């Protein structure tokens, strides 16, 4: 018991979990109230003494031999007739208790350990130098961790928020679920050479050539994907046509185009397009207000001087 008062009963987490697994209720005796204890308490003491005393002169060389002798004495004890009433413990069990028993669960209870942990800024918790993710909304929150041989479960306010297969081996391993990541982290994780090439082909041939150049030219794939990710974010401000035109210009201007060069080209093109559009509107506006009087204005007539 973790806490037992008149108003509150708090069980050890592992003990409570075992009771829930077997669909039973724990009703501990009150402090200094021995009559609250069930009769089985006394029977356990009698049985232990009865078997130990009976086997005190029996010599066993293995644990299996000892268990076999214990089972024999246990059957003898259960079938031993009562002294004050008819029957035995085994017959009383069949007549009075067996009908009330429920079947055991399909799988036996597995012991687990509980601890508390604080969610790190990278939305992971540390369990024996292994790191497991939780939804990023729980950053800096205190959570409860249940550890079994093959599973790690994480709870917040008695509600399970994450579960992972338990990691073994080299320290520092991570178990990260995609659904636990913030949106911008998910976008970054989705960056692969194949995904980058598919995106570039949807823009145009010049963009595809530029992406292929980046993947081949950078020292590591991670650096290339980081630059490509920055290039893909430009699609939030510029159209596919503008990006394709900038890539084409960048490839024609230099043999080593970079994202910074493309950003400059896009800004200049945007500014140039805006100036041309303003000039065109001014010309259209001037033509709309100008007029010329032709012969039709005078009715096609002329006057001789």
């Amino acid at each position: 018991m973790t806490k037992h008062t008149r108003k509150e009963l708090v069980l050890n987490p592992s003990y409570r979990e075992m009771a829930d697994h077997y669909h039973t209720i724990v009703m501990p005796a009150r402090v200094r109230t021995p009559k609250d204890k069930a009769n089985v308490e006394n029977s356990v003491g009698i049985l232990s003494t009865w078997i130990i005393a009976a086997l005190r002169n029996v010599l066993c060389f293995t644990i299996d031999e000892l268990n076999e002798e214990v089972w024999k004495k246990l059957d003898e004890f259960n079938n031993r007739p009562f002294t004050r009433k008819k029957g035995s413990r085994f017959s009383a069990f069949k007549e009075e208790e067996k009908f009330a028993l429920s079947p055991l669960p399909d799988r036996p209870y597995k012991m687990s350990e509980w601890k508390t942990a604080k969610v790190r800024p990278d939305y992971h918790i540390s369990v024996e130098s292994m790191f497991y993710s939780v939804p990023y909304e729980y950053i800096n929150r205190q959570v409860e961790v249940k550890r079994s041989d093959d599973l790690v479960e994480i709870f917040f306010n008695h509600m399970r928020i994450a579960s992972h297969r338990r990691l073994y081996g080299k320290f520092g391993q991570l178990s990260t679920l995609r659904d636990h990541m913030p949106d911008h982290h998910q976008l970054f994780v989705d960056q692969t050479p194949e995904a980058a090439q598919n995106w570039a082909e949807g823009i145009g041939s010049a963009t595809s050539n530029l992406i292929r150049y980046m993947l081949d030219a950078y020292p590591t794939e991670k650096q290339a994907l980081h630059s490509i990710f920055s290039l893909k974010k430009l699609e939030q401000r510029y159209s596919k046509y503008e990006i394709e035109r900038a890539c084409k210009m960048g490839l024609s201007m230099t043999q080593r185009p970079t994202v910074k060069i493309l950003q400059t080209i896009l800004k200049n093109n945007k500014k140039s397009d805006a100036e041309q559009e303003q000039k065109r509107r001014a010309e259209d506006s001037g033509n709309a207000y100008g007029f010329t009087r032709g012969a039709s204005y005078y009715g096609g007539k002329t006057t001789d001087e």
Side-chain angles (χ1 to χ4, degrees), residues 15-123:
Y15 189 38
R16 182 190 68 235
E17 186 182 34
M18 185 190 70
D20 292 341
H21 180 82
Y22 289 111
H23 305 290
T24 188
I25 298 174
V26 178
M27 298 180 64
R30 293 170 293 175
V31 178
R32 297 180 180 179
T33 314
K35 291 184 178 181
D36 283 1
K37 295 185 178 182
N39 291 332
V40 69
E41 291 268 348
N42 190 41
S43 299
V44 170
I46 296 173
L47 178 60
S48 300
T49 304
W50 197 83
I51 292 179
I52 293 172
L55 296 179
R56 66 184 181 277
N57 296 322
V58 177
L59 185 62
C60 299
F61 295 95
T62 65
I63 189 68
D64 292 333
E65 291 181 9
L66 177 61
N67 284 333
E68 186 176 351
E69 294 297 328
V70 169
W71 278 111
K72 289 179 182 179
K73 299 305 294 182
L74 179 62
D75 290 338
E76 182 181 340
F77 180 81
N78 286 331
N79 289 284
R80 184 183 180 187
F82 290 124
T83 57
R84 297 183 180 180
K85 62 179 181 179
K86 294 182 179 181
S88 63
R89 288 179 173 81
F90 186 67
S91 62
F93 164 74
K94 290 192 297 183
E95 295 172 3
E96 302 174 12
E97 299 176 358
K98 187 176 180 180
F99 75 93
L101 295 178
S102 299
L104 293 173
D106 296 334
R107 53 188 178 83
Y109 169 70
K110 289 185 178 181
M111 282 290 293
S112 58
E113 297 179 3
W114 289 80
K115 64 169 289 185
T116 58
K118 188 174 182 179
V119 182
R120 296 148 48 100
D122 62 354
Y123 53 88

Side-chain angles (χ1 to χ4, degrees), residues 262-278:
L262 294 176
Q263 290 174 337
T264 302
I265 294 175
L266 284 166
K267 289 180 181 179
N268 292 338
N269 287 346
K270 197 82 169 179
K271 184 178 179 180
S272 178
D273 291 345
E275 291 175 352
Q276 291 182 7
E277 179 66 17
Q278 186 176 4

